[in-house]
Amino acid sequence: MSTNNGTPLSKEEIARYSRHIIIPEFNIEGQRKLKNAKVLVIGSGGLGSPLLLYLTAAGVGTIGIVDFDVVDDSNLQRQVLFTVPDVGRPKVEAAKERLQALNPFINIITYNTQLNSENALEIFKDYDVIADGTDNFPTRYLVNDASVLLGKPNVYASIFRFEGQVSVFNYTNKDGEVGPNYRDLFPEPPPAELVPNCAEGGVIGVLPGMIGTMQANEVIKVITGVGEPLAGRLFLLDAATFETRILKVRRNKNNPLNGENPTQTGLIDYVQFCDVKLPGAVAESEKKEVKEVTVHELKSLQEEGANFQLIDVRETYEYDIVNLAGELIPLKTVTDAAERIAKDKQVIIHCRSGKRSADAIRQLEALFGYDNLYNLKGGVLAYAKEIDTSLPTY
Amino acid sequence: MAKIIIPTPLRKFTNGEAAFESNGGTVKEVVADLVASSAGLGEQILDGSGNLRSFIKVYVGDEDISALDGEATSVDANAVISIVPAIAGG
């Protein structure tokens, strides 16, 4: 038995992993490589759940988990690591408990913190493989850059609605050639308004299960050297049509980290880097202020039977989830429906959280000179939280 | 006709359609055709000069057009063009 790969497997571990060990090209060497590997999983949400469960079950010896969030009711539709009693607990704490119960032979290290440019290199340095299951562009670029700067493979996956992507970035092959990274594929982030996150845009719950298990498989391939890792290739899945594609990803000579003339030698401010607006778009902080009413003021007006108009500028499918009995005029139709919006009394406009309704008010004021429009601060979410807790939220 | 696959984040401009067919002979012509029939899409994916914005990745088959002839890359009737979106959900 070779002793090249650190600590040997115990009798109990050989029994546990026997279905791996009897695969000829995997065998006991592959299992020992897993046992001696250290994998850092960024995010323990939709992707992180299946990823962590399978890496734990497979016997990856040391698994680090970075997440600053707590378990929320709306996570349980897809984040299969967690159960109802976990709601409100720190994710890393609940995850560790579940994973350690699944496999007591491995070591789980938790980081109950937000990954940032100050702590990333320090956290990453002790790991062999990074697995990116975060949910936002700034952290995607941060994880990529830290992986490239430290020379570690970054097993990437991301999801949106029915769409999933998987790739292995910054992978060094057997000939010592380093493959492309995230910045070769996407040199710059898209404007925020074009690509909403899952909290705003939604995701089908099964999708992270499908994509996260593929990500786990790539992590295992990178560690063991079995098979061909998805380096230099991007896998795409549209779960709605079941269309799958594999596209080539090439290194870009203009990559600021490791192109022909690297200009970036450290981590940067990723929130600022990803604060991209479409040309002509105005930053939230620079937009014209609108008049506001609080949900408590709205409640008083309702109780007094005051003469005011309540307008809801969300979409029909959102109105069907929860509504305050306002008139439904979706934002994109609001300027065409101006004749339905009173000018001679107070008009309170709301949406889910207050952003779209503020946009509606700015458009109506600019085009038609309204001065009687008030934004409901915090929208229907604030109303459900502070006034009528029986209302559902989304 | 060449087929162009619309990614999820852009389907709100194509009435939810996941694919579009065009007789265009180059990537630029197919994209122009798509933009002409999808209200609001142009300002999202094209810059002021009508070129694809830098965060929009376009592939013909499995190859990035930046490794081919860019927007001038010719496409035949069987070509499948993909707009690959950056998505970040996890």
Side-chain angles (χ1 to χ4, degrees):
Chain A
M1 194 182 289
S2 165
T3 54
N4 292 339
N5 288 296
T7 318
L9 299 166
S10 66
K11 182 184 166 195
E12 292 76 14
E13 287 173 304
I14 289 174
R16 168 180 276 261
Y17 304 123
S18 63
R19 298 300 186 276
H20 274 163
I21 293 168
I22 59 173
I23 302 173
E25 59 269 48
F26 198 97
N27 69 56
I28 203 157
E29 272 311 307
Q31 194 61 48
R32 196 180 294 140
K33 285 177 182 169
L34 289 184
K35 179 182 168 78
N36 288 289
K38 296 179 174 179
V39 176
L40 182 68
V41 175
I42 319 293
S44 57
L47 291 169
S49 287
L51 183 57
L52 286 163
L53 283 165
Y54 276 99
L55 294 181
T56 297
V60 171
T62 303
I63 298 178
I65 313 171
V66 186
D67 205 317
F68 67 96
D69 217 350
V70 296
V71 182
D72 181 78
D73 282 321
S74 69
N75 298 152
L76 302 179
Q77 159 255 23
R78 66 198 180 287
Q79 299 181 13
V80 295
L81 253 183
F82 309 117
T83 55
V84 173
D86 294 324
V87 171
R89 295 179 71 193
K91 284 187 171 177
V92 292
E93 184 186 295
K96 179 172 180 169
E97 196 173 286
R98 171 90 188 273
L99 297 170
Q100 215 72 82
L102 172 61
N103 191 343
F105 294 95
I106 69 165
N107 182 25
I108 309 245
I109 301 167
T110 59
Y111 304 88
N112 190 4
T113 184
Q114 187 156 22
L115 195 71
N116 58 43
S117 298
E118 280 68 53
N119 62 20
L121 294 173
E122 181 62 24
I123 295 174
F124 279 32
K125 71 176 173 36
D126 294 328
Y127 292 88
D128 307 312
V129 180
I130 311 300
D132 179 3
T134 55
D135 63 358
N136 62 83
F137 285 108
T139 315
R140 295 271 176 203
Y141 281 95
L142 167 62
V143 170
N144 179 74
D145 291 3
S147 300
V148 173
L149 291 170
L150 294 172
K152 297 178 189 293
N154 169 20
V155 181
Y156 157 90
S158 70
I159 51 172
F160 177 65
R161 292 196 178 149
F162 288 90
E163 194 145 334
Q165 300 180 344
V166 186
S167 191
V168 176
F169 292 129
N170 203 46
Y171 177 73
T172 305
N173 69 14
K174 293 182 176 74
D175 299 326
E177 297 161 341
V178 178
N181 63 67
Y182 188 64
R183 282 181 182 266
D184 293 310
L185 180 63
F186 296 117
E188 40 184 297
E193 57 268 54
L194 190 60
V195 185
N197 60 32
C198 289
E200 294 163 351
V203 60
I204 191 78
V206 186
L207 181 66
M210 301 164 86
I211 295 294
T213 46
M214 292 185 196
Q215 191 180 14
N217 193 43
E218 291 307 306
V219 171
I220 289 168
K221 284 160 61 184
V222 167
I223 294 169
T224 60
V226 172
E228 283 288 322
L230 198 64
R233 294 178 293 161
L234 175 71
F235 172 81
L236 301 176
L237 167 70
D238 182 343
T241 58
F242 221 99
E243 291 242 14
T244 62
R245 284 166 288 163
I246 297 178
L247 308 178
K248 290 178 188 158
V249 184
R250 297 177 188 278
R251 287 190 59 169
N252 179 348
K253 62 180 172 29
N254 298 320
N255 189 314
L257 291 166
N258 61 359
E260 287 178 0
N261 297 298
T263 52
Q264 191 186 325
T265 55
L267 301 176
I268 59 172
D269 180 339
Y270 292 91
V271 174
Q272 186 184 35
F273 175 66
C274 293
D275 186 21
V276 180
K277 300 272 181 279
L278 279 174
V282 180
E284 209 53 41
S285 57
E286 292 165 15
K287 287 182 177 173
K288 181 174 176 286
E289 281 191 27
V290 297
K291 289 179 282 197
E292 290 183 326
V293 294
T294 67
V295 291
H296 294 279
E297 288 164 337
L298 171 61
K299 176 70 176 162
S300 301
L301 291 168
Q302 288 169 324
E303 285 173 348
E304 291 163 14
N307 181 24
F308 69 99
Q309 186 182 17
L310 183 64
I311 290 171
D312 186 337
V313 294
R314 298 175 301 152
E315 301 296 323
T316 308
Y317 69 88
E318 297 178 272
Y319 196 89
D320 291 342
I321 300 169
V322 57
N323 66 74
L324 305 179
E327 284 177 52
L328 179 63
I329 307 178
L331 176 61
K332 62 185 175 213
T333 65
V334 81
T335 54
D336 293 332
E339 78 282 358
R340 288 169 56 195
I341 302 169
K343 280 200 159 178
D344 56 353
K345 60 182 174 184
Q346 184 177 26
V347 177
I348 297 172
I349 302 186
H350 83 85
C351 60
R352 177 173 176 267
S353 64
K355 187 164 169 287
R356 279 174 285 173
S357 44
D359 283 343
I361 290 172
R362 288 188 197 100
Q363 289 179 35
L364 290 165
E365 287 179 345
L367 281 172
F368 306 106
Y370 282 93
D371 62 0
N372 57 327
L373 308 179
Y374 293 79
N375 191 27
L376 182 64
K377 200 174 173 182
V380 71
L381 289 183
Y383 198 93
K385 188 176 176 199
E386 297 173 34
I387 304 295
D388 183 354
T389 56
S390 72
L391 293 176
T393 56
Y394 66 101
Chain B
M1 290 207 286
K3 178 172 157 184
I4 185 163
I5 297 174
I6 319 292
T8 310
L10 297 180
R11 286 182 198 162
K12 60 187 170 190
F13 303 105
T14 62
N15 287 325
E17 293 297 327
F20 176 82
E21 294 196 331
S22 163
N23 286 316
T26 63
V27 168
K28 195 173 183 75
E29 288 169 13
V30 172
V31 169
D33 212 3
L34 170 67
V35 163
S37 67
S38 312
L41 180 64
E43 58 209 59
Q44 303 286 338
I45 67 170
L46 302 179
D47 65 20
S49 314
N51 298 316
L52 286 162
R53 292 193 192 284
S54 54
F55 58 85
I56 299 287
K57 296 289 282 191
V58 176
Y59 278 73
V60 174
D62 65 354
E63 194 63 82
D64 188 338
I65 60 166
S66 61
L68 302 170
D69 294 327
E71 294 182 52
T73 302
S74 60
V75 290
D76 62 26
N78 299 317
V80 176
I81 303 169
S82 306
I83 300 176
V84 180
I87 55 175

